[in-house]
Amino acid sequence: QWTAIYLTDADFVKFLQRCAQALVPGGVIVLKENTCEDQAFVVDVDDASLTRSLAYWRHLIHQSGFLSILKESWQDDFPNDIFPVPMLALQPFSK
C-alpha cells in the first residue's frame, strides 16, 4: 500500500507485466491502494502522489495485457474521512 501511487501509469503497467511474468503457476499479485470515488484521479502535489479511482486501477490492470482480477474486497476498518482502500487479487490470464 502507498507505493503504486508514486508510479506513472506507464511504469505501473510495466511493473504489473514484470510481476505477472515472474509469478509461479497459481501465484497471485495483491494490489492494496488508496482510491478516490468522485473523479478519475487526485494529484497530491505535496507528496507527489496520484490517487486513482477503482475504475482507473482496473483500466491499468487491463492495460497490462496479462492479468485479471480474481478477487476484490475492501479495507473496512479505516476512518470514513480518508480514501477508501480496495484490495485486488490479480492472476495471469489462463493460457
Side-chain angles (χ1 to χ4, degrees):
Q1 186 176 350
W2 303 317
T3 55
I5 59 175
Y6 297 103
L7 296 176
T8 66
D9 291 353
D11 287 340
F12 181 69
V13 169
K14 289 177 190 173
F15 171 76
L16 284 180
Q17 291 169 338
R18 288 191 307 269
C19 289
Q21 293 170 350
L23 282 176
V24 298
V28 297
I29 299 165
V30 177
L31 173 66
K32 180 182 177 185
E33 223 20 286
N34 292 355
T35 57
C36 54
E37 298 178 297
D38 298 332
Q39 45 201 333
F41 58 88
V42 174
V43 176
D44 185 332
V45 294
D46 292 332
D47 75 353
S49 67
L50 180 68
T51 301
R52 298 165 175 96
S53 68
L54 184 55
Y56 202 115
W57 284 118
R58 288 183 180 132
H59 172 74
L60 294 177
I61 291 163
H62 178 74
Q63 289 293 318
S64 76
F66 289 94
L67 297 165
S68 63
I69 298 174
L70 175 66
K71 183 165 173 108
E72 181 179 313
S73 64
W74 292 86
Q75 183 80 38
D76 59 6
D77 56 351
F78 274 12
N80 291 333
D81 61 340
I82 65 171
F83 287 121
V85 180
M87 296 163 282
L88 306 174
L90 312 175
Q91 68 179 6
F93 290 124
S94 300
K95 295 181 180 174

